[in-house]
Structure formats: C-alpha cells, structure tokens
Amino acid sequence: MTFPRALAFDVFGTVVDWYSSIARETNAFLSQYLPSVSPTDFALQWRELYPPAMRECVSGNRGFVVLDTLHYETLQTLLGTHGLDVSQIDPDVLWALAYAWRRLDPWPDVPKGLVQLRSRVPVVTLSNANVELMVALNRFNGLQWDAVLGAEFAQTYKPNPEAYLRTAQVLGLKPQQLCLVACHHSDLSAARACGLLTAYIDRPMEYGGAPAPDAGYAQDWDWQAKSFTELAFQLQS
Amino acid sequence: MTFPRALAFDVFGTVVDWYSSIARETNAFLSQYLPSVSPTDFALQWRELYPPAMRECVSGNRGFVVLDTLHYETLQTLLGTHGLDVSQIDPDVLWALAYAWRRLDPWPDVPKGLVQLRSRVPVVTLSNANVELMVALNRFNGLQWDAVLGAEFAQTYKPNPEAYLRTAQVLGLKPQQLCLVACHHSDLSAARACGLLTAYIDRPMEYGGAPAPDAGYAQDWDWQAKSFTELAFQLQS
C-alpha cells in the first residue's frame, strides 16, 4: 500500500455532524413558522433534497451553481412542501437559515485527529461546498486545513471524476498518491474509480442513527477507522 | 472607507523574504557549480526573469503554466547565462533548486501580525504561486490561511483583472469589500483598478536594499503600514 502524500476530506458527515447541527440551527425558525415539524426530521429532509439538486449540475442539465445557492433553493422547496408561503418571508431570513450549513459542529474526534494527521501530510477539503461556505465553516469550528479544494476549484461536483482528479493535480500528485477520507461508500467508490487511495470513517450517527443510503457501495477500503484519531494511529504504522 | 470583509495577500516580498531565503537556499549549489556567483546577486537575477516569463501567460502568448514550472525554466536560463551546461546536471537536482521558492522565511512581523488580522476577518493568499507551491511554503513557515486562492484558481496571473475579481467572487464579496495587502505598488494599482481596497506594506529590504522597480506606480493607498502588526493596529480603529 502506498502511503498517501496528502489527505483529501469529505466534510459533511465525515468532518461535521450536519444532522444535529442543522436541527439546532433551524429550531428557532421552525418553532415560529412550522411548530409541528421536528427539527431533526427537517434536517434529514433538507439533506435528502441535496443529491438531486447537485446531480442537475453534474449531469450538465445545469451549469455549475455553488452549494450555498442549492441550499437556499432546496430550503424554499422544503418549506413549501410543509405548506409555508416563502414569498411572505424576508429573503434575509431565508438566507440566514440557508447559512445554517456554515455552522456545523465537528465530531468530537476531529479537532485532535486532524492535527495529528496534518502533522504528517497536507490535509485539504475535497467537498462539494463552495469556498465561501467552507471558509465560514472552518472559522466557525476552528479547523485548520492546508487548502480548500474540491467542487468549486474543479467547477464540478463529486462524484464527477474531475472533482477528484483536479484536486490531485493541483497538489502535484498522481491520483494514487492522494487518499480520500470519507464516511460515504459512494464517495469513496467514485474516488477509487479515479485511482485514489481510500479511507473510510464510520459515522453511524450521521443520519441520527438511521441507515446510510449508500450501503450498497461498500467495499474493502484501504483504511477503515471509527475516528480521525484512529486513522492517524493506523497511518503511523 | 469600507472596512474590508476579507484580506487577500500578495506573498513573495509581502509575506516572505525571498531575497535572503533564495540566497541561503542556492548557496550550496552555487558554491559547487558557480563559486564566482554571489547568492544574493543570483537571487535578484532569478527574480528578474519571473515577470517576463509570467507575462507570456498573461498576454495569451502561452497557456497558463504553474509558477513552479516557470521557476524551473528560468533557473535553467539563468544557469546557462552563467555558462553552466544544465544538460549535464541531474533534473532532480535542478527541481530541488527550483523548489527553493517553497522554503522562504516570513518577515519577522508576519507570524504575529497575520494571527491578529485573521482574528478579525478571513485571510487568503492572492499570489501567483500555484497551490502546490503555496501549500509547501505554508507548511515550511507555519502560516495559517483561510484559503489558498489567486492565480491557479483564476487560471491567470496577476495583474490580469480576473485574478483579483475571481478571488473576491469565490469569497462571496464585491471587489470593494476585499482588500489586497501587498508591498508592490504595481500589484496594488491593478487591484485598485478592479475596485479592491488596498493596503501597502513597506518592505525596504525586499531587493536587499536596492530600490523597488515599481516606484512609478505609487499612489495614496487606503492603508499604509510598515508591518502586519501595524496594519492590524490600523484596522482596529
């Protein structure tokens, strides 16, 4: 096994706990406008609207649109589904809610584990988040990266191969020298198809304990760990 | 004066002292191959070859080529000028020398001042360096940025307007909300023409005490300081 020359991280789910953070961040709004909707259900529903919105861009049906905008659009769709007339709500209020995705807490093992991993090799984000969102999120949770790469740099979303290959290229690496760290089998599967190394992080609470939708993509990944600190330990040996 | 929402930094000269660092990093090679050439003269000569090489890309005569490659090419040119037959030297040795630009020390005020500035607003690099070079340089000198933007992200070199405007755009800012921090009047002049705010940092020793080549571009910039710590103080008030 080649030791990775750099680590590229999926962020939503792998680094941060979007499920409980989005529930927390939408709680006040829902209490006021949709008190019968559970914030954790709302978080799951909002997340479910993201893959189809993104696929419109990956498929070429739509040009590249940054994730902040997709969050804003899917938020309006979801609120409409719950019977809310979004045209009656101040767009600034809706944007502040869409920016909930900039205020997500890391999993408990992440701050320490990321420092350990970064002491060995460069660590970069390889997320579908746009740069503005990722910069805000990193400043919110205090995580330090060597670079913010991924979708906006490549001008296409994962799982388009270009998102992975462009990240390796700007780091001056061959695909097999870069390792994707992710809690999603589907993401790792696409990365492996591009030649990248793969490290799976188990995040059983990503969907609040519900099964992940991509179990069918499970493979024997190059590394498998329950936390960033465990991955750092594995990569020491 | 609008308070900047983010600060974008020129790096070579503004953040790091390339003059004495390149002299240090080339000293051993020159002692062996060109003992009559002074390392500080060599540093100045190498730097002089950079603007014309870059302009080939800005003008469109040549596609975008990353700065590491331009450093490698101009190194070969310069060694040839001094009578060395570079075809007789191991390319790995030449590349290691070209990577001298990844091992540059920051000016003494930078580590503390950058932390102070970053505590207020996001700080990003807006350099002509490619991502790989910048990541290596940051890891060498321990500086922390919110993102590595600039030439490679924009796929064009400063002073092309797109390099400045694309940086503002991916940060979600209007040009007048982003401030370029640089020790080069020419760089600041191009940024101001794009609508950016401008902060001049005086680096009288950038060329080892010799006058800077771009004095003719001097203007009354929005902020002027002798150090990052002084700029941080000015931006507090």
Side-chain angles (χ1 to χ4, degrees), chain A residues 126 158-168 173-178 180 187-198:
Chain A
L126 202 181
K158 297 187 292 184
N160 189 316
E162 187 63 13
Y164 307 96
L165 295 173
R166 180 84 176 121
T167 300
L173 301 179
K174 295 173 184 153
Q176 60 269 30
Q177 296 175 315
L178 180 64
L180 180 72
D187 198 1
L188 293 167
S189 177
R192 175 172 274 182
C194 293
L196 272 71
L197 297 166
T198 52

Side-chain angles (χ1 to χ4, degrees), chain A:
Chain A
M1 182 63 56
T2 312
F3 191 86
R5 295 269 303 278
L7 300 172
F9 290 74
D10 173 61
V11 173
F12 298 116
T14 302
V15 174
V16 293
D17 170 13
W18 57 263
Y19 172 83
S20 57
S21 301
I22 289 292
R24 176 192 67 214
E25 295 290 331
T26 57
N27 185 55
F29 179 92
L30 293 172
S31 297
Q32 180 177 352
Y33 291 97
L34 293 168
S36 67
V37 177
S38 131
T40 49
D41 286 352
F42 192 82
L44 287 173
Q45 292 160 3
W46 197 359
R47 176 72 174 182
E48 273 172 20
L49 293 177
Y50 150 69
M54 187 188 65
R55 273 196 293 271
E56 284 293 293
C57 299
V58 174
S59 70
N61 283 349
R62 188 179 184 189
F64 182 75
V65 178
V66 297
L67 189 58
D68 272 329
T69 302
L70 298 183
H71 284 148
Y72 183 72
E73 293 174 357
T74 53
L75 172 65
Q76 291 179 295
T77 301
L78 181 56
L79 292 173
T81 304
H82 286 293
L84 205 64
D85 180 0
V86 291
S87 70
Q88 299 301 307
I89 300 177
D90 183 341
D92 286 350
V93 171
L94 291 178
W95 271 111
L97 198 58
Y99 287 168
W101 293 90
R102 300 175 172 200
R103 298 184 296 272
L104 311 179
D105 295 337
W107 298 104
D109 56 283
V110 166
K112 182 180 176 189
L114 190 61
V115 168
Q116 291 173 337
L117 292 166
R118 192 178 182 214
S119 71
R120 302 214 57 194
V121 289
V123 297
V124 304
T125 59
L126 202 181
S127 167
N128 278 337
N130 47 309
V131 171
E132 182 187 357
L133 191 171
M134 189 57 58
V135 166
L137 178 60
N138 292 334
R139 290 178 70 84
F140 176 81
N141 62 30
L143 299 180
Q144 303 282 353
W145 304 92
D146 287 289
V148 173
L149 301 176
E152 195 172 14
F153 204 105
Q155 288 290 294
T156 189
Y157 283 112
K158 297 187 292 184
N160 189 316
E162 187 63 13
Y164 307 96
L165 295 173
R166 180 84 176 121
T167 300
Q169 186 199 8
V170 299
L171 292 171
L173 301 179
K174 295 173 184 153
Q176 60 269 30
Q177 296 175 315
L178 180 64
C179 180
L180 180 72
V181 181
C183 67
H184 303 127
H185 296 299
S186 52
D187 198 1
L188 293 167
S189 177
R192 175 172 274 182
C194 293
L196 272 71
L197 297 166
T198 52
Y200 173 75
I201 305 292
D202 192 28
R203 297 295 188 200
M205 296 307 289
E206 179 182 6
Y207 299 92
D214 66 345
Y217 288 92
Q219 299 179 33
D220 185 18
W221 305 114
D222 300 318
W223 292 273
Q224 308 202 40
K226 294 190 183 308
S227 65
F228 281 17
T229 43
E230 185 184 347
L231 179 64
F233 182 78
Q234 290 178 9
L235 288 173
Q236 276 181 330
S237 45

Side-chain angles (χ1 to χ4, degrees), chain B residues 104-124:
Chain B
L104 311 179
D105 295 337
W107 297 105
D109 55 284
V110 166
K112 182 179 175 188
L114 190 61
V115 168
Q116 292 173 338
L117 292 165
R118 192 178 181 214
S119 72
R120 302 214 56 193
V121 290
V123 296
V124 303

Side-chain angles (χ1 to χ4, degrees), chain B residues 156-169:
Chain B
T156 188
Y157 283 111
K158 298 186 292 183
N160 189 316
E162 187 63 12
Y164 306 96
L165 295 173
R166 180 84 177 122
T167 300
Q169 186 199 6

Side-chain angles (χ1 to χ4, degrees), chain A residues 117-123 146, chain B residues 134-143:
Chain A
L117 292 166
R118 192 178 182 214
S119 71
R120 302 214 57 194
V121 289
V123 297
D146 287 289
Chain B
M134 190 58 59
V135 165
L137 179 60
N138 292 334
R139 289 178 70 84
F140 176 81
N141 62 31
L143 300 180

Side-chain angles (χ1 to χ4, degrees), chain B residues 145-160:
Chain B
W145 304 91
D146 287 288
V148 173
L149 302 176
E152 194 172 15
F153 205 105
Q155 288 290 295
T156 188
Y157 283 111
K158 298 186 292 183
N160 189 316

